[in-house]
Amino acid sequence: MSEQFDVVVIGGGPAGYPAAIRAAQNKLKVACVDEWRNADGRHAFGGTCLNAGCIPSKALLESTELLHRAQHEFASHGITTSAVGFDLAAMQKRRATIVKTMTGGILALFKSSGVVPVEGHGRLLAGNQVEVTGFDGSKRLLAAKDVVLASGSVPVRLGAVPHDGRAICDSWNALEFDAVPKRLGIIGAGVIGLELGSVWRRLGSEVTMIEALDQFLPMADQAVSKEALRHFKKAGLDIKLGAKVLRATVANDAVDIVYATAAGEQTLQVDKLVVAVGRRPHTEGLLADDAGVALDERGFIRVDEHCRTAVPHVWAVGDVVRGPMLAHKGKEEGVMVADLIAGRFGEVNYKVIPSVIYTAPEIAWVGQTEEQVKAGGRPYKVGSFPFAASGRARAMEAASGFAKIVAAADDDEILGVHVIGPMAGELIAEAVLAMEYAASTEDLQRTIHAHPTLSEALHEAALAADKRAIDSINR
Ligand code: FAD
Ligand code: NAD
């Protein structure tokens, strides 16, 4: 006998759990099936983001940034300290507590909104039925009018770099190290590599990053990438570009890496090696042969712009479908689908999804880079404002980086905003809102920004696009 629901969501990460909550808010009977288990063997909702991604990484980034500031910035404020040290076990305990509180919070949200939590592995069968295999092997059959697939992603592994979870690790392992590796290698200088590299560098690791591409952060505006590379090198990250890993082997508690650059074959020995070369959609065991849901050539579940799969009443959201692998993108897709199922309006504006890299300096952008606008051929103008000219950034001892706006030369529409500097991830929200409402640089120019705040940098960048900046030299 199957249990009947209006909506069954498979996956309780940042795409799945908001879909379940919104569907329940829409007065539908909802179950959310999730199979995540942490190192202690216990189940927790929240998926990669809360258990092994966004939240634990930000907890460690915050702790280690505070340590760095105490060690390197306090003196310039006139604050004297005796030697500042750290207790990694306590830092990790704090990280684990935050994760536990946040994942537990989802259960509380489910309870208050009426979502039925189901622990175990979900598999979509033909006819909108979901078979759930519990951790004890027991089976349950759920039937639903609509099914939402939100099974997320898993790290890409490299054949020549055999993962063992100890010496050769993924990002989850690297968030839970219980000792600081003296020499840390990271394959991939992308978002995960830079965030985790920053954490362990601040705690004392010698960090070497091996990146296959010649170009650093190719998805960011190139003025930002250039500035970022300069800062990361200064912070002690040894970033090797145009370097292809050929193999890695573990012997005597060390990892020997062989990689190739234009100069020929190179070797490197490290104590831990983290593979951070991207993530792939997770669909293993998700779909029965006759479920009818199609995958694309890269293994993502094929969906239209409203996240409908090829099967009526089966939807897919988050990392398992095309688009950036970001928690907030998945969340908006989940909410959209839950509203569409209930016959309400729902849409995701894929052109206005912010990206943030939580390093120091922080990096954030939304919309097109200057290079993309240029390639598109639309005449454009650029306005930049350096944080060196911001009183607030100076007061914060964080006066490096800039805010940059790219706008159309004809109708002044804001096409892209790029920030590298203090609180960039918070500042970008103003740009997101402006672009969501199709604002022009003139709209930003005429908006009053409190003084002295970091947000004035966006105001001044908008003015600079018309060579009317007040607090910096117009070029
Ligand atoms: P997931 O979070 O992967 O959740 C999927 C869930 O479904 C999991 O719990 C999984 O166990 C479960 N599941 C899978 N298959 C089944 C099945 N058949 N049956 C039952 N359950 C199943 N993004 C940001 O936006 N900001 C950040 O700062 C950020 N930092 C990150 C840091 C790291 C180290 C990593 C690895 C990722 C980070 N991300 C960040 C990316 C972010 O974590 C993902 O984009 C996000 O988690 C995707 O959400 P999702 O719900 O689609 O998938
Ligand atoms: P990524 O795509 O950001 O970076 C992977 C890097 O590895 C790229 O620079 C790529 O050129 C390089 N690479 C690929 N194959 C390689 C090889 N064989 N040798 C050397 N280098 C190689 O992926 P990631 O850092 O693994 O992150 C995965 C996903 O998680 C991303 O989509 C990202 O959006 C998301 N994430 C987001 C945040 C955030 O929003 N702050 C933080 C962490 C992760």
Side-chain angles (χ1 to χ4, degrees):
M1 267 291 283
S2 61
E3 301 163 60
Q4 187 66 47
F5 289 90
D6 294 317
V7 180
V8 171
V9 181
I10 303 182
Y17 87 76
I21 290 175
R22 175 53 60 87
Q25 288 169 347
N26 286 336
K27 312 262 179 277
L28 298 169
K29 189 179 174 203
V30 188
C32 183
V33 185
D34 186 86
E35 67 177 353
W36 186 280
R37 284 213 272 184
N38 283 311
D40 59 7
R42 294 219 184 111
H43 173 266
F45 280 97
T48 307
C49 171
L50 274 81
N51 289 291
C54 323
I55 302 306
S57 61
K58 267 79 254 179
L60 291 181
L61 278 157
E62 193 63 34
S63 298
T64 57
E65 174 63 7
L66 279 179
L67 174 69
H68 179 85
R69 296 186 70 182
Q71 288 169 333
H72 301 280
E73 268 180 45
F74 276 18
S76 56
H77 285 273
I79 301 172
T80 51
T81 56
S82 48
V84 177
F86 66 91
D87 173 348
L88 182 60
M91 210 178 265
Q92 291 290 31
K93 194 168 164 213
R94 173 180 177 274
R95 186 237 339 124
T97 305
I98 293 169
V99 167
K100 204 165 173 205
T101 308
M102 299 294 294
T103 56
I106 295 177
L107 262 185
L109 293 173
F110 278 178
K111 197 166 178 201
S112 74
S113 57
V115 174
V116 177
V118 180
E119 295 175 15
H121 178 82
R123 192 162 74 108
L124 177 70
L125 311 179
N128 285 7
Q129 306 236 69
V130 175
E131 178 195 69
V132 180
T133 309
F135 297 134
D136 59 0
S138 61
K139 301 265 187 205
R140 266 169 93 173
L141 198 60
L142 315 182
K145 289 185 195 135
D146 286 87
V147 176
V148 182
L149 305 172
S151 54
S153 64
V154 289
V156 169
R157 299 251 156 98
L158 298 174
V161 185
H163 174 93
D164 63 11
R166 265 177 29 83
I168 299 183
C169 310
D170 61 21
S171 54
W172 191 6
N173 306 131
L175 284 165
E176 300 190 358
F177 287 160
D178 56 11
V180 179
K182 187 170 174 323
R183 300 164 301 174
L184 177 66
I186 302 179
I187 308 181
V191 191
I192 290 181
L194 291 169
E195 291 187 355
L196 286 177
S198 299
V199 164
W200 294 107
R201 173 72 203 133
R202 291 169 192 158
L203 295 177
S205 295
E206 292 160 21
V207 178
T208 308
M209 303 177 67
I210 303 176
E211 165 60 49
L213 298 178
D214 293 323
Q215 201 185 352
F216 181 63
L217 287 182
M219 65 288 202
D221 187 277
Q222 286 311 289
V224 169
S225 307
K226 233 170 100 190
E227 175 82 358
L229 186 58
R230 198 173 63 78
H231 280 283
F232 294 142
K233 284 192 165 166
K234 205 168 136 203
L237 297 180
D238 181 2
I239 301 173
K240 301 194 185 299
L241 297 173
K244 265 200 143 40
V245 173
L246 302 176
R247 59 190 173 276
T249 43
V250 181
N252 305 326
D253 276 342
V255 188
D256 291 299
I257 307 159
V258 181
Y259 64 97
T261 64
E265 238 173 71
Q266 321 280 331
T267 57
L268 174 72
Q269 192 177 68
V270 294
D271 303 303
K272 298 253 186 212
L273 176 62
V274 180
V275 179
V277 296
R279 296 176 62 84
R280 62 173 179 81
H282 180 204
T283 54
E284 281 80 8
L286 177 69
L287 305 166
D289 290 345
D290 58 353
V293 171
L295 306 185
D296 70 14
E297 54 292 340
R298 292 163 60 215
F300 290 93
I301 295 177
R302 201 184 281 282
V303 287
D304 68 9
E305 75 277 18
H306 287 113
C307 293
R308 290 187 182 87
T309 70
V311 179
H313 298 283
V314 178
W315 314 70
V317 295
D319 279 11
V320 80
V321 304
R322 84 283 172 268
M325 286 183 164
L326 295 172
H328 42 285
K329 174 264 194 186
K331 180 180 188 183
E332 291 312 313
E333 287 180 335
V335 166
M336 167 181 74
V337 160
D339 280 339
L340 290 173
I341 289 171
R344 290 168 172 256
F345 174 80
E347 197 161 279
V348 171
N349 182 358
Y350 288 97
K351 288 193 179 146
V352 186
I353 298 176
S355 292
V356 182
I357 308 179
Y358 296 84
T359 44
E362 207 160 273
I363 299 169
W365 69 89
V366 58
Q368 298 178 71
T369 63
E370 183 176 351
E371 293 74 29
Q372 287 166 336
V373 174
K374 196 178 207 167
R378 187 167 176 191
Y380 68 94
K381 55 187 179 178
V382 171
S384 282
F385 182 78
F387 283 107
S390 155
R392 186 65 189 276
R394 290 246 169 230
M396 291 168 69
E397 198 64 23
S400 61
F402 55 84
K404 169 176 173 177
I405 294 186
V406 187
D410 45 16
D411 66 0
D412 199 28
E413 180 190 358
I414 298 171
L415 302 174
V417 178
H418 309 272
V419 184
I420 175 166
M423 308 300 281
E426 303 296 330
L427 294 178
I428 207 67
E430 177 180 357
V432 174
L433 192 66
M435 289 182 66
E436 191 61 39
Y437 284 82
S440 60
T441 63
E442 188 183 346
D443 290 323
L444 275 193
Q445 290 169 7
R446 294 189 185 282
T447 302
I448 298 174
H449 291 69
H451 176 77
T453 60
L454 296 172
S455 71
E456 287 172 296
L458 279 187
H459 186 222
E460 286 284 328
L463 289 163
D466 288 330
K467 306 211 180 307
R468 292 167 71 81
I470 301 293
D471 286 324
S472 71
I473 296 160
N474 290 290
R475 293 177 207 279

